């Protein structure tokens, strides 16, 4: 069965950050520091999904989707990231999973969508190799409680963005600007992924995926310098996260003078077979030769296309290009693909024709990739609800459903009705 779903993440929608024993996450800390997020917005309340999840499941049922990708907040399950589980945290996810199953919706939880327990950050976060092992222990706790009902698991969400924005540039939590010295964060997340796969398999998990956000990379010109920079960017953004998982190797990054502490056996753990690759696609990237900011490339931006409210270029064919490129690069090593996120921010209007055009274009591109032989098994819209868009706070509206953050009133947008009719044309 093809999975049609919507996607969300815990810190972006749940709120209730001090309820039922939840510990502090790096995003609680970061968002409360002055100047870190636009207008000082935090996820303290967000969409209050922690209390309003039945209404949100009803919205999904009304939309006609058969799957839901959400994330589990590690600090709800283990408030300080290690040790005893917090039963009330697990109870919440059990209620959510049972509610989804009752509604005929397949739950697809992600175990880590950037909300690391602050106590682990205090020990170095993902710069510390020990975090990989702690992540596997957390995965085992969650799987022991839920794997009798949850069949599909995603270990990490977008480890590239977490490394680059959180540890490389400092624009996401934990707010460190280490540039290329952040590269150990890639290896430790991937090792955590591999160890979590072992824990999930031991609990009987049927389907395990990782979600990488991938971008087709285009050189700014045909010059050798631009092409070399584009290759470097492709290595850092795409191949650094796909190659070890699918091929058991890292791209050669020695030119950047950064050594990762890869120990014997690590790559065997990281490359254990998966049942699918989660792919998040938003836009392609155009890269030129480096300037002098310490990085081996410059992001030139894509021009000549419409843009989202965020200013991101809308290039639906980039999705087809990306998927065909993955198939060509990884061949038989590529498991079935799930598009675990795709969507756009628009102005805060109920008549969101831009989002309809975005989704229509990307679903056409998905069909074309299928016609070219790419095995795609699922598509999840980002996002069900307007939510806390990280450093942008509540200023970027990604929802099929509008949220009034003063009243928590949810109002389906035109795109919700459009998607419902596309998924179930006979029901309208
Ligand atoms: O909101 C994010 C999500 O958390 C991860 N992928 C991209 C989305 C839009 O920026």
């Amino acid at each position: 069965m093809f999975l049609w779903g919507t996607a969300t993440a815990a810190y972006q929608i749940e709120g209730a950050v001090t309820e039922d024993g939840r510990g502090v996450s790096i995003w609680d800390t970061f968002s409360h520091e002055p100047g870190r997020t636009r207008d000082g917005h935090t996820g303290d309340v967000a969409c209050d999904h922690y209390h309003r999840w039945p209404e949100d499941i009803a919205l999904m049922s009304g939309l006609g989707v058969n799957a839901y990708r959400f994330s589990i907040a590690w600090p709800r399950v283990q408030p300080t990231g290690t040790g005893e589980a917090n039963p009330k945290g697990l109870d919440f996810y059990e209620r959510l999973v049972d509610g989804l199953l009752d509604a005929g919706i397949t739950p697809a939880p992600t175990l880590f969508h950037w909300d690391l327990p602050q106590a682990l950050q205090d020990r170095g976060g993902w710069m510390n190799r020990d975090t990989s092992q702690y992540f596997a222990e957390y995965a085992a706790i969650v799987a022991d409680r839920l794997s009798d009902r949850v069949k599909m698991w995603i270990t990490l969400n977008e480890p590239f963005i977490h490394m680059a924005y959180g540890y490389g540039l400092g624009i996401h939590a934990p707010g460190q600007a280490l540039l290329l010295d952040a590269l150990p964060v890639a290896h430790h997340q991937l090792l955590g992924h591999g160890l979590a796969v072992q824990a999930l398999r031991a609990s009987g998990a049927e389907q395990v995926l990782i979600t990488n956000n991938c971008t087709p990379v285009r050189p700014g010109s045909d010059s050798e310098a631009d092409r070399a920079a584009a290759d470097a960017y492709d290595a850092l953004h795409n191949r650094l996260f796909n190659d070890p998982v699918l091929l058991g190797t890292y791209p050669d990054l020695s030119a950047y003078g950064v050594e990762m502490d890869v120990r014997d056996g690590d790559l065997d753990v990281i490359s254990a077979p998966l049942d699918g690759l989660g792919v998040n696609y938003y836009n392609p990237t155009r890269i030129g030769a480096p300037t002098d900011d310490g990085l081996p490339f410059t992001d030139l931006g894509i021009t000549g296309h419409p843009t989202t409210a965020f200013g991101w270029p809308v290039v639906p064919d980039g999705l087809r290009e990306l998927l065909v490129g993955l198939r060509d690069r990884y061949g038989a090593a590529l498991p079935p693909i799930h598009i675990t996120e795709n969507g756009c921010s628009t102005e805060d209007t109920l008549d969101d024709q831009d989002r309809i055009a975005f989704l229509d274009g990307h679903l056409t591109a998905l069909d074309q990739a299928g016609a070219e032989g790419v095995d795609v098994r699922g598509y999840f819209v980002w996002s069900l609800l307007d939510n806390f868009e990280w450093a942008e706070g509540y200023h970027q509206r990604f929802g099929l459903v509008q949220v009034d953050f003063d009243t928590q009133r949810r109002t389906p947008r035109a795109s919700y009705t459009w998607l419902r009719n596309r998924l179930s044309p006979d029901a309208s």
Side-chain angles (χ1 to χ4, degrees):
M1 178 179 64
F2 192 90
L3 295 182
W4 290 104
T6 58
T8 63
Y11 189 74
Q12 295 181 269
I13 64 165
E14 285 180 1
V17 291
T18 56
E19 227 166 297
D20 289 339
R22 176 187 178 278
V24 177
S25 81
I26 57 172
W27 269 98
D28 298 298
T29 306
F30 183 80
S31 65
H32 280 269
E33 288 170 3
R36 293 298 204 175
T37 65
R38 204 164 146 195
D39 290 337
H41 288 173
T42 74
D44 288 2
V45 179
C47 306
D48 193 30
H49 172 77
Y50 192 75
H51 302 110
R52 295 170 194 264
W53 60 268
E55 183 182 351
D56 296 336
I57 291 179
L59 283 163
M60 288 182 248
S61 293
L63 182 58
V65 289
N66 59 16
Y68 177 45
R69 174 175 179 243
F70 58 98
S71 81
I72 293 179
W74 187 347
R76 269 195 209 289
V77 173
Q78 280 180 305
T80 57
T82 58
E84 289 295 293
N86 170 32
K88 288 187 173 171
L90 287 168
D91 290 348
F92 168 67
Y93 293 109
E94 190 167 65
R95 288 195 293 278
L96 178 64
V97 163
D98 287 346
L100 289 165
L101 293 172
D102 286 348
I105 297 172
T106 298
T110 300
L111 288 166
F112 182 69
H113 197 126
W114 308 346
D115 45 359
L116 191 77
Q118 180 62 44
L120 291 186
Q121 190 60 46
D122 297 342
R123 300 193 212 174
W126 288 107
M127 287 294 283
N128 179 355
R129 185 180 165 101
D130 293 346
T131 301
S132 317
Q133 185 58 44
Y134 297 140
F135 180 62
E137 288 163 17
Y138 151 68
I141 290 171
V142 178
D144 281 351
R145 177 68 88 90
L146 295 177
S147 67
D148 58 337
R149 281 153 285 179
V150 170
K151 303 300 169 204
M152 178 173 175
W153 296 88
I154 299 166
T155 55
L156 304 176
N157 177 70
E158 299 183 359
F160 168 76
I161 296 290
H162 190 54
M163 173 192 77
Y165 284 29
Y167 291 81
L169 302 172
I171 54 184
H172 278 186
Q176 297 181 4
L178 304 173
L179 298 178
L180 290 180
D181 288 338
L183 278 175
V185 170
H187 183 58
H188 297 152
Q189 286 185 94
L190 290 170
L191 184 59
H193 153 80
L195 293 169
V197 172
Q198 293 177 355
L200 290 164
R201 298 274 188 230
S203 280
E206 285 180 12
Q207 273 196 290
V208 186
L209 292 75
I210 186 172
T211 281
N212 285 332
N213 77 315
C214 304
T215 180
V217 181
R218 301 166 180 177
S221 77
D222 217 21
S223 74
E224 199 175 318
D226 280 1
R227 282 191 284 115
D231 186 63
Y233 189 80
D234 184 50
L236 288 165
H237 187 132
N238 296 314
R239 298 185 333 249
L240 179 59
F241 296 91
N242 288 327
D243 283 12
V245 166
L246 299 176
L247 303 177
T249 58
Y250 274 117
D252 181 7
L253 299 175
S254 54
Y256 314 120
V258 179
E259 284 296 320
M260 281 196 288
D261 178 18
V262 181
R263 302 188 190 165
D264 280 354
D266 284 0
L267 281 161
D268 293 336
V269 172
I270 292 170
S271 62
L274 295 176
D275 307 290
L277 178 68
V279 171
N280 292 357
Y281 171 73
Y282 287 92
N283 51 256
T285 310
R286 195 166 140 262
I287 293 295
T291 47
D292 58 358
D293 67 354
L295 293 171
F297 57 83
T298 306
D299 188 344
L300 301 173
I302 296 267
T303 52
H305 291 270
T307 52
T308 71
F310 221 143
W312 297 351
V314 179
V315 189
D317 191 58
L319 178 58
R320 184 202 58 78
E321 177 188 343
L322 171 68
L323 296 177
V324 169
L326 285 169
R327 195 267 322 272
D328 290 349
R329 176 169 179 78
Y330 296 106
L334 183 69
I337 287 176
H338 290 260
I339 306 301
T340 39
E341 285 181 30
N342 180 235
C344 64
S345 64
T346 62
E347 295 309 315
D348 184 13
T349 171
L350 289 177
D351 189 21
D352 55 341
Q353 294 301 319
D354 289 354
R355 179 170 289 104
I356 292 174
F358 182 101
L359 294 175
D360 194 35
H362 286 77
L363 290 176
T364 300
L366 196 66
D367 283 347
Q368 288 167 346
E372 291 184 44
V374 183
D375 184 2
V376 183
R377 306 270 177 100
Y379 177 89
F380 295 73
V381 177
W382 185 272
S383 181
L384 175 67
L385 304 169
D386 289 341
N387 59 53
F388 175 78
E389 177 54 29
W390 308 113
E392 287 288 306
Y394 297 98
H395 290 287
Q396 299 296 336
R397 301 271 177 165
F398 276 91
L400 296 166
V401 175
Q402 181 196 55
V403 177
D404 178 330
F405 291 103
D406 293 326
T407 62
Q408 292 296 341
R409 184 181 154 88
R410 279 105 158 107
T411 310
R413 293 194 164 102
S415 57
Y416 174 100
T417 309
W418 176 86
L419 185 60
R420 185 188 65 199
N421 292 339
R422 197 177 192 286
L423 296 180
S424 320
D426 299 336
S428 55

